[in-house]
Amino acid sequence: MSFTTRILKVDPTSIKFVNGTPEISDKETLTNLQTAAHELTTTHNAIGFPTETVYGLAGSALSDESVKSIYKAKNRPADNPLITHISSIDQLKRKLINYEIPEVYRNLINHFWPGPLTILLPITEDCPISSLVTANQDTFAVRMPSHPVARALIAISDTPIAAPSANASTRPSPTLAEHVYNDLKGKIPIILDGGSCEVGVESTVVDGLVDPPMLLRPGGVSLEEIKQVGGGKWQNIVIAKKTAGKLEPVKTPGMKYRHYSPTAKVVLFIDCGDGQEEIGNYIKKHNIDIDATKIALLQSKSFKSNPKFINKELGVTGNEISHNLFKYLREVDEEDKVDLIFVEGVDETNEGLAIMNRLSKAAMEVVHGK
Ligand code: TXA
Ligand code: MG
């Protein structure tokens, strides 16, 4: 099906939650949220919406047809399960589970919900979630987003929402409504435009149902924070293997696919000081004519700018770099239309783990310094 994609403006600052219920002071925001909720509850079409991590592509988690629309619009392989989003613990219990949330998650939920943490919960026989959301696993992934627009949309439609990032499969995740438009125009009827996503990388996915618990995807909540506040078992949390080998069972199926890739070739430089020497060597080794090649340089702490390149500062802190990462990858790719993107790697501590996870998947080549 082909759509005329409408971008509907919403103002996150006009939404307040009182006892878990959204109160919306701006009229346009209210109308547009109602339009989006109506689309979700009366059709099977997927729609774009902002979360605090990245823009998501929403459909009812309870409907096979809605979930099919998500996979179709993104062109995503159907064996990669989706995260279900809820607006409150009350909604999670009313709509999805008939058991108490496992004790192991108590501290994490108290600290990080609403927010960028996704947990795995068991699927029971009477669970109404579409098996297309879970890709037939015996668990489902769930989070309560903190973005007021996301939470209000889920509360108003009173529907648990399945939502992957709203990019076309393999592309960098979208952190602005225009990124979603670039990838999915004509494929979805509505994008709610709530401005730029604060966090900039997706949620952290953890599995506390296994012992030791597993970090399935690093993201907006750091491993260090999880160890610090999780208590008990979380001290021993294990990082899932970055790339699942061909013969191993795939715990997070997302790991075996190419991800986050701009059209331009991304080269990631790790431990390369100010970058001068390694970038110079790279250009020589590949016989790159820098007068005829458009090159972007995404720097953080140490790389020096180069007048021949399009230089972008990702920021210095982990929060800044996370916030800018996908935005600048897309900007130099889609607007500047560069041929090559050189990126400065960061330490894999705190926010750095999620940043390097995304960068190593986006990169076609990695250069290690000393
Ligand atoms: O921040 C986010 O999480 C964004 C926004 C839109 O909320 N959503 C997002 O969803 O990134 P998605 O579908 O692109 O990522 C889901 C991740 C994948 O790595 C997937 O393999 C994993 O969660 N996942 C989902 N269900 C799972 C399950 N039952 N077991 C293991 N991994 C699961
Ligand atoms: Mg994604």
Side-chain angles (χ1 to χ4, degrees), residues 55-361:
Y55 272 75
L57 186 60
S60 166
L62 311 181
S63 153
D64 287 352
E65 290 309 309
S66 300
V67 180
K68 278 186 197 159
S69 298
I70 295 174
Y71 283 114
K72 190 167 162 226
K74 280 193 65 130
N75 195 18
R76 171 167 167 139
D79 63 343
N80 190 4
L82 307 176
I83 294 171
T84 298
H85 299 67
I86 44 128
S87 61
S88 64
I89 303 265
D90 167 68
Q91 188 187 55
L92 173 65
K93 290 187 171 165
R94 268 190 304 115
K95 296 273 182 177
L96 298 179
I97 61 173
N98 57 9
Y99 53 81
E100 290 303 317
I101 299 173
E103 181 58 28
V104 65
Y105 292 122
R106 179 201 291 262
N107 293 341
L108 295 182
I109 287 176
N110 285 344
H111 260 86
F112 299 118
W113 277 13
L117 179 76
T118 296
I119 62 171
L120 294 198
L121 290 177
I123 292 269
T124 49
E125 233 164 59
D126 50 358
C127 180
I129 292 191
S130 162
S131 60
L132 300 176
V133 170
T134 60
N136 285 316
Q137 312 218 28
D138 54 8
T139 54
F140 71 102
V142 63
R143 82 178 188 99
M144 188 197 301
S146 63
H147 197 294
V149 172
R151 245 183 116 193
L153 178 67
I154 305 165
I156 292 171
S157 54
D158 200 19
T159 305
I161 282 177
S165 48
N167 51 284
S169 192
T170 80
R171 301 274 305 150
S173 300
T175 59
L176 290 171
E178 70 189 61
H179 297 159
V180 183
Y181 188 78
N182 278 348
D183 279 20
L184 302 181
K185 61 175 167 296
K187 298 189 168 164
I188 55 175
I190 292 172
I191 302 167
L192 287 177
D193 180 357
S196 156
C197 301
E198 182 66 31
V199 178
V201 295
E202 297 87 340
S203 63
T204 302
V205 183
V206 293
D207 183 358
L209 304 175
V210 290
D211 204 356
M214 296 241 290
L215 176 76
L216 299 181
R217 180 179 71 183
V221 170
S222 73
L223 183 63
E224 288 84 348
E225 288 174 290
I226 288 170
K227 283 185 178 167
Q228 205 172 41
V229 308
K233 286 211 292 190
W234 294 100
Q235 302 304 314
N236 308 322
I237 184 172
V238 174
I239 303 179
K241 268 207 187 151
K242 277 189 184 149
T243 320
K246 270 197 188 120
L247 297 172
E248 292 169 308
V250 179
K251 184 72 196 176
T252 288
M255 291 197 292
K256 71 181 178 185
Y257 298 106
R258 191 164 165 65
H259 252 136
Y260 312 120
S261 319
T263 309
K265 176 176 172 179
V266 176
V267 185
L268 173 60
F269 290 84
I270 298 177
D271 291 333
C272 291
D274 68 7
Q276 301 284 83
E277 188 183 336
E278 284 81 3
I279 288 177
N281 290 343
Y282 185 90
I283 286 171
K284 238 184 261 158
K285 183 175 152 201
H286 291 81
N287 284 322
I288 296 165
D289 174 356
I290 58 170
D291 293 313
T293 311
K294 227 173 164 188
I295 301 175
L297 180 66
L298 308 192
Q299 344 158 222
S300 46
K301 260 200 318 242
S302 312
F303 270 25
K304 280 208 180 118
S305 300
N306 184 321
K308 295 261 184 202
F309 301 161
I310 293 172
N311 301 283
K312 298 272 179 198
E313 299 208 9
L314 285 169
V316 177
T317 67
N319 283 338
E320 286 167 352
I321 299 168
S322 304
H323 177 78
N324 290 322
L325 185 65
F326 288 135
K327 192 170 108 184
Y328 286 156
L329 279 175
R330 276 190 181 256
E331 200 172 292
V332 297
D333 195 49
E334 289 164 10
E335 290 171 31
D336 302 315
K337 303 209 185 307
V338 300
D339 306 294
L340 265 173
I341 305 174
F342 293 155
V343 190
E344 177 181 350
V346 298
D347 287 343
E348 287 185 296
T349 52
N350 299 309
E351 294 86 0
L353 189 65
I355 294 166
M356 289 302 279
N357 168 275
R358 306 308 188 270
L359 278 176
S360 55
K361 289 179 186 180

